[in-house]
Each structure stands twice: as structure tokens, then as C-alpha cells.
Amino acid sequence: MGKTITEKIINAHMESGKYLPGEEIGIRIDQTLTQDATGTMAYLQFESMNLPEIRTNLSVSYIDHNTIQIGFENADDHRYLQSVARRFGIHLSRAGNGICHQVHLERFGKPGETLIGSDSHTPTAGALGMLAIGAGGLDVALAMAGKPFYLQSPKVFRINLLGKLSPWVSAKDIILKILSIFTTKGNVGRIFEYGGDGLLSLSVPERATIANMGAECGVTTSVFPSDDMTRRFLKAQDRGKDWSPLQADLDAVYDGETTIELSHLEPLAARPHSPDHISSVREIGPIPVQQICIGSCTNSSYKDLATIAEILRGKTVHADVSLIIAPGSRQVLENIIRDGYLTHIIASGARIMENACGFCIGNSQSPPSKSVSLRTSNRNFFGRSGTRDADIYLVSPETAVASALTGRLTDPRDLGATLPFISFPKKYHVDDGMILRPLETEERGKVEIVRGPNIGAPPRNNPLPDDIDGEVTIKVGDKITTDHIIPAGARMKYRSNISRYSQYVFEPLDRHFYKRALQIRDSGRQNIIIAGQSYGQGSSREHAALCPMFLGVKVVIAKTFERIHAANLINFGILPLIFQNGEDYEKINSGDLLQIPGIRDALKRCAPLQVSNITSGSAFPVVYELTDRQQKLILAGGALNAQ
Ligand code: MIC
Ligand code: SF4
């Protein structure tokens, strides 16, 4: 029987288990990436493993998230990351070099290899035919230590892209269409594998836009074949030797298949506050717009920015609009300068930001109160922009720039202009001067690791107690994102200081959570979180498990969990339990006292679990889906204890 691309890469990297439905497999990891907001914790965890150096072929540490540097914390983190990279043989992409996913695509990704990264958009590199997966920092630290990465044998869904996009419709509209079909929930354990003749006209950066936002569907990753388009991109990056072909076999069998006729697509937008609230731009109509942000790891390539430059050429941004442009990398910026595009962008009145995450993570460019902001990024979760009552819409660069000229949400086809033809250069101007290469092995041991006062050791958990005697500290609804659980933006500078950062757990939903959780923890009982469907969407930040762990959360009971967050909970010894009957969720209130007697013993025996609600005098069954390996982690109180 023929094989999918996914199976081919997994089979070539299999370390343990069998690729069978429901089975956990362990795969060898060739490359890792981290970014500064998750990287400090990942490297602190790696340090605690006491190894002399990394055991991957390539590990890259990027500084791209916390580049605003108000206060000393971020700069101290950057210095720590630089010293740790020199000590352990890690490449370091300095602040100013660009967003990790864009730079990794340009400079490091390789067809057929495996990559895990402590950022949920790591699948962007799937555009090159890599198996690229987002994970918590601890999983990345373990991969750097040469341990396998564990995942459930994935279900592979084939997405056939047929034909050609109409003018003014672009890759972002393809992935928004896919989000309208698959939504942001219910896709745990799936991989999207792309094929069809539509790929002939989709360049690697366009494929990257699609692979990037597969993360919003919650899939494990997205993967494209490595074909002639991939070869041309790598050659233009001066990396022709990194290319190798990779295709699915013609008789490969998939777990599901969807076909999208590209010529039928039109400009789309994700309405507030979820990337799957999709409507066409025309359906939403010409709402007035106050801010437009073009950039992020989704849409900030050379082609994206050259296209918008041509549309802006000779024109001025509408008086009511602030137009923000953040190039994806220094390479993109330098190439659009060399080719003259930046001049048109600046002349139009656009504001150029640093090549970094910036507005996307909400650490700058918060829009005005009650305003509408159009963004080419991938997430419009409630409050993420930094302005709670702003409405964020996700759109393509073409729609964004058309609207910047009119001051209203505008279908770019209505501009009455001709779409400029931009293809990616035959050869990019390449300069890796901002990437620090590892020292020679004998030099590494002499490097002193530099720690600022904000950097603390990662906290450890206690083993799972014999019984749970706890309280429901918070009850939340469906589709709770990690931005709800532990916000980023202005709070993100405390990422290396868990006791400080923990003060903001659930801040967007309940400002008093922290105090209540501390009281319960300090009274010797456990905190319990109750949640609806798709708990833990979005970011890979392990802080969404680590900080609740620090506050004494032992159990989360939800209708369903998202993959990366469930893995993070288990890594830090928090037990994810699932309601056996969804209706039981309705019968629990915040403040209820819950007990699970004999939980430790039951887990050891894989026995069913019953939760007693002492407050209402009722009981309900819960289930857990733990492999033997995960059961050990939970009993030990987390992966660091189990080492
Ligand atoms: C995000 O887009 O939410 C982030 C910030 O890149 C996160 C990582 C983090 O929280 O540091 C992600 O996507 O994993
Ligand atoms: Fe950075 Fe935004 Fe991409 Fe996250 S989604 S890596 S914050 S640009």
C-alpha cells in the first residue's frame, strides 16, 4: 500500500511504537527551534538535565517575541539565551533578525526532516516538506537532550487544492476557507497533507501561510510535498543542496479528503474573536477601519510586502487609518529595500515596525478603544491585541492594503486596479550575519551562563497525592485559549519568573483567580479547573500549565482538550480528565468542593474514576486517556521528576 508524506517521514524517524490508530509513537527529532518567550524556560529545563551539549543535528534559539524591552527583564533573557547557546552548541538568531518561523523557512528548514519548536506555529516549516510540530518547552528540551518526541499516530487528511486562484485572492483566503470547513476544534491528532495541481502555482512562502494557520485548526501539523517549487525556493536561498524530493505515493490512503477549487474562492475575513468566524469580505460590508497591521509569521514574506508596496505606490493611506507594517525577517526587509519596494510603502504613510512578532503578540500597537483593526496575523482571540473592546479581523495582505486606502473594509477586487505580478526573486540577497553559529566543542565548556535577577529555576511539582480533596477555583466555557489562561502582551516579560507571572493566571476572565488559588493551595487542598470543549487552544506556552501547577492546580476536568496544552499539563503533573457525560459539566459551579478518593491507586490500576461533588451531594464519572509513559509522568508529578 502506498504511503503518505507523513508516513514516509515518520517511518524514517521512528524510535518507538507502531504507526497504528490510537498508538503512541516516539520519533527522532532532527531540528529544534525556540523563541525567547518560551526559550528561557526550555533552556533552564535543558540545563537541569546536566548534559554537556545538545544532541540534535541543529537547534536554533530565536529572539523575536519580547523585543520591546521595557524594564531589564527582556534584555536579561536575551543575554541568558545568547550565553546558553554558546555553551551548548546552539545557533542563535539575534533580536532584529526576524520572526522564528520566517527565518527558519528561509535559512534552516529541510524537506524530509523533523522539527519541533516551542511555538505553536512551528508547522510553518511544513511548507518545505518537513514534519514540523509545535510543543511545550520541556518537550523541546527533551528533544535537544536526544530523547524522542511522543505523539499519537496521526490521522492524515488530504487537502486537494485544484486550479488557480483568481486575481486578488491569495493564500490567506485558502487557509481561511479551510478554517471555515474544519473550524478551530475537533482536529486533535490530525495532520493536513496538501496535494493537487493547485500547488503548481503556490510558492513556498504562500504554502507557509497555509501551513502556519493550520495551527488555528488545532492539527498536529500541515505538510506539503517537496517539489520543483521547493527546489526553486531553496536555490533562491542559496541552499540548493538542502533540497530533496518528497511526494505521497499515488495509491496512498488517507483518513479523509477535502477538495478546494481555488478559482471558486473569494477574499475572506475571520471576524472577532475567533479565527474560524469566517465570512466573505463582501458579506461583512464596508465597516470603517481605524488600524491595519500587516506582518506576523503568517503574512510577511517578500511577496506579501512587494505586493502591498505596488498597491500603495503613489497613494496615501486613508486619513482615519494607522497602517503598521512589520516585515517577517531582516532578509525580507533588506530585499524589499534593495528592490525599491520599501520606498513606496514609506511614501504612502505606513509605519514601519521592527521585524519581530510585535503587534501580533499584543506587546505594541494596541488599537484604539472600540475600534476595528484588520490584521494579516493568525489569531484574533479576545483581548490579545491589548485593547479589550477592539474588534480584530484577520484578512489577506491584499484586503488589508485595499482597506488602508479606502478607510473601510474593502474587497481588493473593488479597487478597480490591476493586480501587480510579483514572484519571489530567483536569488534572494542572503546575509546570515545576525545568526551566531555554535562555538567549537572545546570552547563551549568555558562559557559562563549569564542570569539576570528575573530568571528563576523552573519550579517542580509534588507527586500526585493519594486523594484529591479540592475546590473548583474557576469554571470556564468552550474554546478557552492559552491567551485566556495566561496572557502574553505586556505580561510576557515575566516568562522566566514563574512566581511573578503566576499572578496573571486567568487574568482576562477573573482577576481574583490568583488570590483564591493561593488561599486554596495554602490551606493544603487542590485547585481544580472546570472547562468546556477545546480547552487550551492556541499558543504552545507551557506557562499555561506551569503557572497553574505553581498555584496548586492538580486536575483540569474538561469536555475536550487541545493537543499541545494537554501534553503540557501532563508534562507538569496536572491530570487532564474528560467528562464521560458532557451534561455533568452543567451541574458544577465555581466554588464547589470536589473529591476524587484513591486517585493515585486508581491511575496505577487504570481503573475508572468517579468525582464526588461534596457541595451538591452528587457524583459523576470522568475518563482519562494516558499512555503508560504519561501515567508515570502524572504519578511522579511531571516529566522533570520522572527523569
Ligand atoms: C503566539 O502566537 O501565541 C505565541 C506567542 O507565539 C505563542 C508562544 C508563546 O506564548 O510564547 C505560540 O504560538 O506558541
Ligand atoms: Fe510571533 Fe505572532 Fe507568529 Fe506567535 S503568531 S510566532 S506572536 S508572529
Side-chain angles (χ1 to χ4, degrees), residues 89 91 135 256 268 272 284 353 382 388 394 404 407 412 416 451 473 540 545 555 577 603 626 642:
H91 286 65
L268 298 174
I284 300 169
M353 302 288 140
F382 172 74
R388 287 166 76 91
L394 306 176
R451 279 169 237 277
T473 329
S540 67
V555 171
L577 292 174
L603 280 197
L626 298 178

mmCIF file of all heavy atoms in Angstrom, residues 89 91 135 256 268 272 284 353 382 388 394 404 407 412 416 451 473 540 545 555 577 603 626 642:
data_model
loop_
_atom_site.group_PDB
_atom_site.id
_atom_site.type_symbol
_atom_site.label_atom_id
_atom_site.label_comp_id
_atom_site.label_asym_id
_atom_site.label_seq_id
_atom_site.Cartn_x
_atom_site.Cartn_y
_atom_site.Cartn_z
ATOM 1 N N GLY A 89 26.112 24.638 22.135
ATOM 2 C CA GLY A 89 26.202 24.313 20.705
ATOM 3 C C GLY A 89 24.953 24.628 19.912
ATOM 4 O O GLY A 89 24.622 23.922 18.952
ATOM 5 N N HIS A 91 22.566 27.355 17.626
ATOM 6 C CA HIS A 91 22.608 28.577 16.812
ATOM 7 C C HIS A 91 21.735 29.636 17.481
ATOM 8 O O HIS A 91 20.686 29.304 18.047
ATOM 9 C CB HIS A 91 22.031 28.318 15.425
ATOM 10 C CG HIS A 91 22.928 27.516 14.534
ATOM 11 N ND1 HIS A 91 23.265 26.210 14.780
ATOM 12 C CD2 HIS A 91 23.544 27.846 13.371
ATOM 13 C CE1 HIS A 91 24.058 25.774 13.816
ATOM 14 N NE2 HIS A 91 24.242 26.743 12.951
ATOM 15 N N ALA A 135 5.327 22.399 20.253
ATOM 16 C CA ALA A 135 5.322 21.632 21.508
ATOM 17 C C ALA A 135 5.663 22.568 22.658
ATOM 18 O O ALA A 135 6.094 23.706 22.444
ATOM 19 C CB ALA A 135 6.355 20.513 21.430
ATOM 20 N N GLY A 256 -9.153 10.922 5.423
ATOM 21 C CA GLY A 256 -10.223 11.809 4.974
ATOM 22 C C GLY A 256 -9.678 12.669 3.851
ATOM 23 O O GLY A 256 -8.459 12.776 3.690
ATOM 24 N N LEU A 268 -11.705 36.581 1.992
ATOM 25 C CA LEU A 268 -12.427 36.201 3.210
ATOM 26 C C LEU A 268 -11.843 36.955 4.404
ATOM 27 O O LEU A 268 -10.756 37.535 4.325
ATOM 28 C CB LEU A 268 -12.289 34.695 3.447
ATOM 29 C CG LEU A 268 -12.879 33.780 2.374
ATOM 30 C CD1 LEU A 268 -12.544 32.317 2.666
ATOM 31 C CD2 LEU A 268 -14.397 33.954 2.261
ATOM 32 N N PRO A 272 -14.284 38.859 14.720
ATOM 33 C CA PRO A 272 -13.934 38.686 16.130
ATOM 34 C C PRO A 272 -14.759 37.553 16.741
ATOM 35 O O PRO A 272 -15.913 37.380 16.334
ATOM 36 C CB PRO A 272 -14.345 40.008 16.769
ATOM 37 C CG PRO A 272 -14.623 40.951 15.634
ATOM 38 C CD PRO A 272 -14.848 40.164 14.420
ATOM 39 N N ILE A 284 -19.433 41.009 4.981
ATOM 40 C CA ILE A 284 -19.274 41.860 6.178
ATOM 41 C C ILE A 284 -19.571 43.308 5.822
ATOM 42 O O ILE A 284 -20.151 44.053 6.607
ATOM 43 C CB ILE A 284 -17.852 41.722 6.772
ATOM 44 C CG1 ILE A 284 -17.600 40.263 7.163
ATOM 45 C CG2 ILE A 284 -17.668 42.620 7.990
ATOM 46 C CD1 ILE A 284 -16.149 39.949 7.501
ATOM 47 N N MET A 353 7.589 48.876 11.464
ATOM 48 C CA MET A 353 7.953 48.345 12.786
ATOM 49 C C MET A 353 9.138 47.384 12.642
ATOM 50 O O MET A 353 9.492 46.969 11.541
ATOM 51 C CB MET A 353 6.777 47.586 13.396
ATOM 52 C CG MET A 353 5.527 48.408 13.540
ATOM 53 S SD MET A 353 5.693 49.611 14.861
ATOM 54 C CE MET A 353 4.894 51.036 14.118
ATOM 55 N N PHE A 382 -9.923 37.088 21.917
ATOM 56 C CA PHE A 382 -10.383 38.207 22.738
ATOM 57 C C PHE A 382 -9.231 38.792 23.569
ATOM 58 O O PHE A 382 -8.543 38.069 24.291
ATOM 59 C CB PHE A 382 -11.506 37.704 23.654
ATOM 60 C CG PHE A 382 -11.922 38.702 24.679
ATOM 61 C CD1 PHE A 382 -12.670 39.804 24.311
ATOM 62 C CD2 PHE A 382 -11.541 38.556 26.004
ATOM 63 C CE1 PHE A 382 -13.031 40.739 25.247
ATOM 64 C CE2 PHE A 382 -11.909 39.491 26.953
ATOM 65 C CZ PHE A 382 -12.652 40.588 26.567
ATOM 66 N N ARG A 388 -9.293 45.543 25.015
ATOM 67 C CA ARG A 388 -10.345 44.543 25.239
ATOM 68 C C ARG A 388 -11.584 44.773 24.391
ATOM 69 O O ARG A 388 -12.247 43.832 23.975
ATOM 70 C CB ARG A 388 -10.732 44.521 26.715
ATOM 71 C CG ARG A 388 -9.686 43.872 27.596
ATOM 72 C CD ARG A 388 -9.970 44.175 29.052
ATOM 73 N NE ARG A 388 -11.081 43.373 29.563
ATOM 74 C CZ ARG A 388 -10.945 42.192 30.148
ATOM 75 N NH1 ARG A 388 -9.752 41.669 30.277
ATOM 76 N NH2 ARG A 388 -11.989 41.530 30.582
ATOM 77 N N LEU A 394 -9.131 39.099 10.780
ATOM 78 C CA LEU A 394 -7.940 38.570 10.097
ATOM 79 C C LEU A 394 -8.208 38.524 8.597
ATOM 80 O O LEU A 394 -9.227 37.948 8.171
ATOM 81 C CB LEU A 394 -7.627 37.158 10.605
ATOM 82 C CG LEU A 394 -7.483 37.019 12.125
ATOM 83 C CD1 LEU A 394 -7.277 35.550 12.511
ATOM 84 C CD2 LEU A 394 -6.337 37.878 12.645
ATOM 85 N N ALA A 404 -6.717 49.933 3.663
ATOM 86 C CA ALA A 404 -5.894 51.048 4.164
ATOM 87 C C ALA A 404 -6.061 52.270 3.260
ATOM 88 O O ALA A 404 -5.923 53.405 3.705
ATOM 89 C CB ALA A 404 -4.427 50.633 4.211
ATOM 90 N N GLY A 407 -10.153 53.290 3.929
ATOM 91 C CA GLY A 407 -10.607 53.561 5.296
ATOM 92 C C GLY A 407 -11.769 52.672 5.711
ATOM 93 O O GLY A 407 -12.334 52.833 6.795
ATOM 94 N N PRO A 412 -10.499 43.677 -2.236
ATOM 95 C CA PRO A 412 -9.497 44.304 -3.107
ATOM 96 C C PRO A 412 -9.903 44.306 -4.577
ATOM 97 O O PRO A 412 -9.427 45.131 -5.353
ATOM 98 C CB PRO A 412 -8.239 43.459 -2.860
ATOM 99 C CG PRO A 412 -8.707 42.200 -2.229
ATOM 100 C CD PRO A 412 -9.976 42.515 -1.508
ATOM 101 N N GLY A 416 -10.575 48.326 -8.399
ATOM 102 C CA GLY A 416 -10.556 48.634 -9.829
ATOM 103 C C GLY A 416 -9.147 48.723 -10.385
ATOM 104 O O GLY A 416 -8.922 49.318 -11.432
ATOM 105 N N ARG A 451 22.845 35.071 34.068
ATOM 106 C CA ARG A 451 21.444 35.113 34.505
ATOM 107 C C ARG A 451 21.133 36.451 35.168
ATOM 108 O O ARG A 451 21.846 36.861 36.069
ATOM 109 C CB ARG A 451 21.194 34.055 35.580
ATOM 110 C CG ARG A 451 20.985 32.675 35.051
ATOM 111 C CD ARG A 451 21.022 31.673 36.200
ATOM 112 N NE ARG A 451 22.049 30.687 35.931
ATOM 113 C CZ ARG A 451 21.871 29.631 35.163
ATOM 114 N NH1 ARG A 451 20.709 29.410 34.618
ATOM 115 N NH2 ARG A 451 22.848 28.785 34.927
ATOM 116 N N THR A 473 -11.867 26.207 41.396
ATOM 117 C CA THR A 473 -11.404 27.599 41.534
ATOM 118 C C THR A 473 -11.983 28.453 40.423
ATOM 119 O O THR A 473 -12.191 29.645 40.574
ATOM 120 C CB THR A 473 -9.866 27.663 41.477
ATOM 121 O OG1 THR A 473 -9.341 26.466 42.020
ATOM 122 C CG2 THR A 473 -9.323 28.845 42.226
ATOM 123 N N SER A 540 1.591 27.471 22.317
ATOM 124 C CA SER A 540 2.232 26.299 22.917
ATOM 125 C C SER A 540 2.755 26.618 24.317
ATOM 126 O O SER A 540 3.373 25.769 24.941
ATOM 127 C CB SER A 540 3.424 25.892 22.056
ATOM 128 O OG SER A 540 4.413 26.910 22.142
ATOM 129 N N ALA A 545 0.412 25.737 31.792
ATOM 130 C CA ALA A 545 0.360 24.585 32.705
ATOM 131 C C ALA A 545 1.257 24.843 33.920
ATOM 132 O O ALA A 545 0.887 24.566 35.054
ATOM 133 C CB ALA A 545 0.818 23.322 31.979
ATOM 134 N N VAL A 555 -5.770 19.093 38.859
ATOM 135 C CA VAL A 555 -6.680 18.428 37.939
ATOM 136 C C VAL A 555 -7.412 19.481 37.108
ATOM 137 O O VAL A 555 -7.834 20.504 37.638
ATOM 138 C CB VAL A 555 -7.731 17.625 38.757
ATOM 139 C CG1 VAL A 555 -8.818 17.089 37.866
ATOM 140 C CG2 VAL A 555 -7.070 16.488 39.518
ATOM 141 N N LEU A 577 -8.646 15.422 32.904
ATOM 142 C CA LEU A 577 -9.745 14.456 32.973
ATOM 143 C C LEU A 577 -10.862 14.921 32.054
ATOM 144 O O LEU A 577 -11.098 16.126 31.908
ATOM 145 C CB LEU A 577 -10.269 14.363 34.402
ATOM 146 C CG LEU A 577 -9.321 13.734 35.427
ATOM 147 C CD1 LEU A 577 -9.902 13.836 36.839
ATOM 148 C CD2 LEU A 577 -9.047 12.268 35.078
ATOM 149 N N LEU A 603 -5.248 5.306 39.165
ATOM 150 C CA LEU A 603 -4.439 5.516 37.947
ATOM 151 C C LEU A 603 -3.479 4.364 37.734
ATOM 152 O O LEU A 603 -3.277 3.893 36.609
ATOM 153 C CB LEU A 603 -3.625 6.803 38.057
ATOM 154 C CG LEU A 603 -4.315 8.132 37.780
ATOM 155 C CD1 LEU A 603 -3.279 9.219 37.532
ATOM 156 C CD2 LEU A 603 -5.237 8.048 36.591
ATOM 157 N N LEU A 626 -4.418 8.190 29.034
ATOM 158 C CA LEU A 626 -2.982 8.305 29.293
ATOM 159 C C LEU A 626 -2.281 7.061 28.785
ATOM 160 O O LEU A 626 -2.752 5.945 29.010
ATOM 161 C CB LEU A 626 -2.715 8.409 30.797
ATOM 162 C CG LEU A 626 -3.292 9.599 31.560
ATOM 163 C CD1 LEU A 626 -2.963 9.481 33.049
ATOM 164 C CD2 LEU A 626 -2.738 10.906 31.015
ATOM 165 N N ALA A 642 10.367 12.772 36.676
ATOM 166 C CA ALA A 642 10.424 11.393 36.187
ATOM 167 C C ALA A 642 11.749 11.085 35.485
ATOM 168 O O ALA A 642 11.977 9.952 35.078
ATOM 169 C CB ALA A 642 9.254 11.146 35.235
#
